[in-house]
Amino acid sequence: MNALREALLKDSFFSEFEIISGYQDLLISTRSWAGIDWVKLEEKLHAVIENCQYSQRSERAVIDVPVCYDEEYALDLISITEQTKLSAEEVIQLHSESTYFVHFIGFTIGFPFLSGLAKELILPRKATPRIHVPKGSVAIAGEQAGIYSVDSAGGWNILGKTPLSLFDVQREKICRSQAGDRVRFYSITKTEFHKMS
Amino acid sequence: MIEVVKAGHLMSFQDQGREGYRAMGVAVSGAMDQLCMARMNTLLENEMNAPVVEWFASEAVFLAVEGITLCLSGVVKEVLLNGERVLTNTRLHLESGDQLKVIPSFRSAWLYLSVSGGFKVEDVLGSASTLLSAEIGGHEGRVLKNKDLLQSGKRRCGLQKIGFMKPFASRTIHYIREASHEVPLNAHTLFQTQSFQVSAHSNRVGYRLTGESLLNGTNIELKTHGVIPGTIQLPPDGQPIVLMRDAQPTGGYPKIGYVIPCDLSRLAQCPQRSYLKFVEVTAEQAEEIEMEESEELRLLSVGVKAAKGV
């Protein structure tokens, strides 16, 4: 998906289009649809799909995300240990030793959908979603990991919090991560968390 | 300049929307009724993307701090200028100190105020639209409150008393079917043959429609994928959701189809508890409907130019 997305971004025919990535598909969208040659569009899409070099993985940024796994922020850690039958230390270790792949950003501004979660940590979404998940909460659900970038409702299991801001319109790099990047989590203490905030 | 004396519910600046940032999870936003906004800006000789003030079905009061030409649009019970009834959808000329009061009817939905010269709003990520969930854009990323002062540009249109005709809502909503077979066939049939009510749980993110369940216990989950305003989702409870302008760019529910752009504005104006029905169209038919709408707007533009000679 990512290779295809990059191929489309490079093709000047699609410069007027926005591309939204999903796990298994891409949505291309344009406001100026009137007068589009639909036949040519289909031909062009087929051409890009056929010529795309799928095996190539471009060198992308690795983003290191500090996480405080302290019980004050790890709202669902106890429930995670109960469901996975692992200790808190094991959960934290498994979560922070993986390197994750950013499939796309969605759900809210700057929320990265990550794959690469350790098998032992796979568990379902919460039966009843939380009405309020604090901004910065680091969470897992199913095979996915993610970071809540703004305060929102949410049903994923929260195991820590990051002081890093994922989205800031004032910053030159508005969104900290994008599809194709890699993410790693590392543990920090509460004191370090407050210093970084 | 205009002062907000009494802010309406969810009152915010909106324009044509914020394109180009969906890959960062930023919703498109923009006025819920794009057709209305286009007509107002045409009438006042503004740029089509000039921001407007939008709010939902509630009373609002504005005070002209200096002379200003504006237009009030939407379904209302009445609009009073210093206590006297005036028309919606027409150019209104206010002197400094004039007060405009908008009183909604039970059939009101989205209401709009536009000024000639447009409102001066700082662009964030290329647009003046407010995305409330992210606190981005518009007036400091928030809803407008009492005592807020709204800056406007120089008046661009003449003082002629002209206006436009506009039916706001439509009970027949055209949509294009989702090409992949995500939703069972009988759900499609049920969707097209029954009437739905706009539920009270409807807002800028999505309109929930209530009716007979389109699913009978089947739970279909899809991998998260891109969605756009107008996407008709079918969650497990079988009650469709039409994603509106503040919907996030990704979703996981199966899709029935996509409401065509101009009908999304008409759907937005359907008051809560009203009934509507969906009609499937092809892409070509959808283009024809959009062309009709463009033509009506073009005729208004012609009329506005002609009025200059009067």
Side-chain angles (χ1 to χ4, degrees):
Chain A
M1 270 307 111
N2 208 49
L4 187 55
R5 180 176 152 272
E6 295 194 357
L8 282 169
L9 284 171
K10 287 204 188 92
D11 193 318
S12 60
F13 183 82
F14 295 100
S15 59
E16 291 296 306
F17 289 78
E18 256 190 281
I19 303 172
I20 311 162
S21 306
Y23 275 115
Q24 293 174 337
D25 52 29
L26 296 177
L27 174 66
I28 65 171
S29 162
T30 178
R31 194 204 277 286
S32 38
W33 53 268
I36 281 186
D37 184 343
W38 298 106
V39 175
K40 182 152 189 235
L41 177 67
E42 252 197 83
E43 277 171 20
K44 267 290 195 171
L45 275 172
H46 279 301
V48 173
I49 291 169
E50 269 168 41
N51 297 329
C52 184
Q53 307 274 17
Y54 290 104
S55 51
Q56 264 176 23
R57 271 255 172 108
S58 54
E59 288 305 302
R60 294 300 288 273
V62 179
I63 300 162
D64 290 303
V65 178
V67 183
C68 184
Y69 293 99
D70 186 275
E71 62 184 356
E72 188 186 332
Y73 307 122
L75 305 175
D76 293 312
L77 189 53
I78 298 187
S79 140
I80 295 173
T81 57
E82 282 168 8
Q83 289 180 69
T84 58
K85 311 271 189 279
L86 299 165
S87 69
E89 290 76 28
E90 286 170 323
V91 169
I92 292 169
Q93 176 158 12
L94 282 167
H95 182 252
S96 52
E97 68 187 11
S98 299
T99 301
Y100 301 83
F101 179 72
V102 182
H103 278 271
F104 56 89
I105 312 292
F107 177 58
T108 61
I109 53 172
F111 184 115
F113 277 77
L114 309 169
S115 66
L117 184 66
K119 282 196 308 297
E120 298 87 329
L121 293 180
I122 295 178
L123 67 160
R125 280 176 176 78
K126 292 170 77 66
T128 312
R130 273 204 175 73
I131 297 181
H132 178 246
V133 172
K135 172 178 170 173
S137 294
V138 174
I140 58 176
E143 294 172 18
Q144 308 164 108
I147 310 170
Y148 283 90
S149 48
V150 291
D151 288 340
S152 71
W156 291 25
N157 306 282
I158 301 170
L159 39 73
K161 197 171 182 192
T162 178
L164 226 57
S165 122
L166 292 169
F167 189 97
D168 187 349
V169 292
Q170 312 285 9
R171 218 165 39 198
E172 198 181 318
K173 194 161 188 230
I174 298 170
C175 194
R176 208 178 269 276
S177 69
Q178 53 175 316
D181 286 345
R182 297 200 196 297
V183 166
R184 281 196 303 240
F185 296 104
Y186 68 95
S187 176
I188 57 171
T189 64
K190 223 163 154 180
T191 327
E192 289 169 320
F193 179 95
H194 288 300
K195 258 205 235 146
M196 288 182 183
S197 298
Chain B
M1 178 150 51
I2 285 187
E3 180 185 328
V4 177
V5 175
K6 180 173 183 185
H9 183 56
L10 282 182
M11 190 177 257
S12 69
F13 281 121
Q14 299 293 339
D15 60 14
Q16 287 177 324
R18 182 173 286 112
E19 300 274 345
Y21 297 92
R22 289 184 228 226
M24 292 187 192
V26 183
V28 174
S29 300
M32 288 289 271
D33 187 347
Q34 289 287 321
L35 306 184
C36 182
M37 186 181 125
R39 274 171 180 66
M40 295 174 92
N41 279 333
T42 301
L43 182 70
L44 298 175
E45 297 187 51
N46 290 338
E47 284 179 16
M48 295 306 277
N49 197 31
V52 298
V53 171
E54 171 192 88
W55 74 99
F56 188 74
S58 48
E59 198 176 285
V61 181
F62 305 94
L63 174 74
V65 175
E66 52 205 9
I68 199 159
T69 299
L70 50 76
C71 177
L72 207 304
S73 202
V75 172
V76 299
K77 185 165 171 217
E78 58 185 356
V79 179
L80 303 170
L81 176 52
N82 298 332
E84 284 193 26
R85 279 194 125 208
V86 287
L87 296 172
T88 54
N89 305 341
T90 48
R91 285 183 190 165
L92 299 173
H93 311 290
L94 275 62
E95 305 296 328
S96 171
D98 282 348
Q99 205 179 76
L100 198 69
K101 184 173 185 177
V102 184
I103 298 163
S105 84
F106 76 98
R107 300 203 316 148
S108 292
W110 299 95
L111 306 175
Y112 294 93
L113 174 73
S114 179
V115 296
S116 184
F119 282 107
K120 279 183 168 338
V121 183
E122 201 187 303
D123 271 2
V124 174
L125 297 180
S127 165
S129 289
T130 318
L131 178 57
L132 293 169
S133 60
E135 293 175 1
I136 286 177
H139 192 90
E140 300 165 11
R142 60 167 173 83
V143 292
L144 296 174
K145 298 201 280 251
N146 297 357
K147 300 222 176 76
D148 278 340
L149 290 171
L150 314 179
Q151 300 278 10
S152 49
K154 212 163 118 77
R155 179 165 60 80
R156 292 160 63 126
C157 68
L159 296 171
Q160 302 86 351
K161 278 188 164 44
I162 55 173
F164 58 85
M165 294 286 291
K166 186 188 184 307
F168 288 96
S170 172
R171 301 287 191 261
T172 302
I173 306 296
H174 300 92
Y175 77 102
I176 294 176
R177 187 193 282 237
E178 161 61 45
S180 39
H181 304 292
E182 296 171 8
V183 161
L185 223 49
N186 67 330
H188 276 291
T189 316
L190 271 170
F191 182 69
Q192 289 171 23
T193 51
Q194 64 161 307
S195 294
F196 293 93
Q197 237 186 345
V198 176
S199 93
H201 298 293
S202 297
N203 53 34
R204 282 185 54 90
V205 175
Y207 271 33
R208 290 181 172 261
L209 305 175
T210 47
E212 231 183 273
S213 173
L214 301 182
L215 294 170
N216 51 0
T218 25
N219 196 348
I220 316 158
E221 265 192 45
L222 297 180
K223 294 250 175 193
T224 308
H225 52 266
V227 290
I228 54 170
T231 301
I232 309 164
Q233 295 181 312
L234 190 56
D237 63 3
Q239 308 287 290
I241 300 173
V242 181
L243 296 181
M244 303 305 266
R245 310 214 50 106
D246 282 356
Q248 51 248 26
T250 59
Y253 293 135
K255 307 179 291 294
I256 293 170
Y258 309 87
V259 174
I260 69 175
C262 57
D263 278 7
L264 193 61
S265 290
R266 295 182 181 125
L267 169 55
Q269 292 287 32
C270 286
Q272 292 177 352
R273 292 181 309 144
S274 60
Y275 284 89
L276 39 89
K277 279 186 103 141
F278 290 86
V279 170
E280 186 182 337
V281 291
T282 63
E284 289 72 28
Q285 290 169 332
E287 267 197 78
E288 278 179 49
I289 298 174
E290 298 289 329
M291 290 300 141
E292 273 174 34
E293 176 57 37
S294 297
E295 183 60 15
E296 271 196 43
L297 194 62
R298 191 187 70 81
L299 288 172
L300 174 63
S301 183
V302 167
V304 165
K305 287 197 178 71
K308 279 176 142 143
V310 170

